[in-house]
Amino acid sequence: MGVNSDFKRLNREFFKREPVVVAKELLGKYIIRKIDSEIIIGKIVETEAYGGTEDKGCHVGRYGRTKKTELLFGEVGKAYIYPVYINTYCLNVVAHKDNKAGGVLFRALEPILGIEKIIENLNKDKNYDITKLLNGPGKICKGLKIGRDLNGYDMIEGDEIYIVEGEKVKEDEIITTSRINIPYAGKDKYLPWRFIIKDSKFLSR
DNA sequence: TCTGGGATCGGCT
DNA sequence: GCCGATCCCAGAC
C-alpha cells in the first residue's frame, strides 16, 4: 500500500461507542505522527479498552471524576496521556458513549514509516530489533515523541497526531485476552478487553 | 509546602 | 522472573 495515498481519517462518530468496540475496531488502523516535517506511521496491533465507571481497571473506576480523569468524560477522539513511573507515558484515545467515560490504550504498534526516526527517539542503534521498537505503551510515546504537551490534543481535527483507516482485520485474526498489569482491578482484571492481531510479531508480550 | 503513587522498561540472575 | 530507576503533580497537611 502506498503511504502517500489519501488516507481517510477516522471521524468523531467512530469514537462515540463502547470503548470495547472501538478498541477492537482500531486494530489494523494507522497512527500518523507529524513532527515538524518528519512523518512517522505505525499500524495498531494491540489495544486495551478502559471504560465505564464500573470498571475497576480504568482510572475513572479507581479515582472517580477528578482533574486527572476529566478528559475521559469529555469529547471523544482526544488524546489522554498518562504518566507512569519515570519518563514514561501511555497514549490513550478518549472513546465512550454519551454521558459515560472511557478510553482505549495503545499497547503496541508495527512501525511502517519513519523507522530511523523512531530508533533515534528511543536512543537505539540501527541493529535494534524492529519488532521490539514499539511493543509497549511507554515505547510508543517515546518513539513517537508523545509527551504531556499532547494531553487533550484533538486527534480528529489536529494534524500533529491522528488516526486513519488501515487494513481490514478479519474476525478470526483477532485474539481477545485479559488486560495487562492491572493487579489492582480485582475481578475486573479478567475482563476480556485486550485485543491483539493474531500472529503479529510486534506485540508487547 | 511536601509526599506518594503511577495502565513501564530494561538489565540482570 | 524480579528489581530498580528517581519524574510529575494532585491531594493532603
Side-chain angles (χ1 to χ4, degrees), chain A residues 2 6 18 28 43 54 58 70 96 112 114 126 134 142 154 167 178 199-200 202 205:
Chain A
D6 292 323
E18 299 292 341
K43 185 171 101 173
E54 308 84 33
C58 82
E70 182 65 28
H96 58 85
I112 303 291
K126 299 261 185 214
L134 300 176
K142 203 175 270 182
D154 189 354
E167 298 164 24
S178 53
D199 299 333
S200 173
F202 301 88
R205 52 185 78 183

Side-chain angles (χ1 to χ4, degrees), chain A residues 21 60 64 70 128 162 180:
Chain A
V21 177
V60 176
E70 182 65 28
Y128 191 79
Y162 55 92
I180 304 281

Side-chain angles (χ1 to χ4, degrees), chain A residues 40 45 70 74 127:
Chain A
I40 294 172
V45 296
E70 182 65 28
N127 299 321

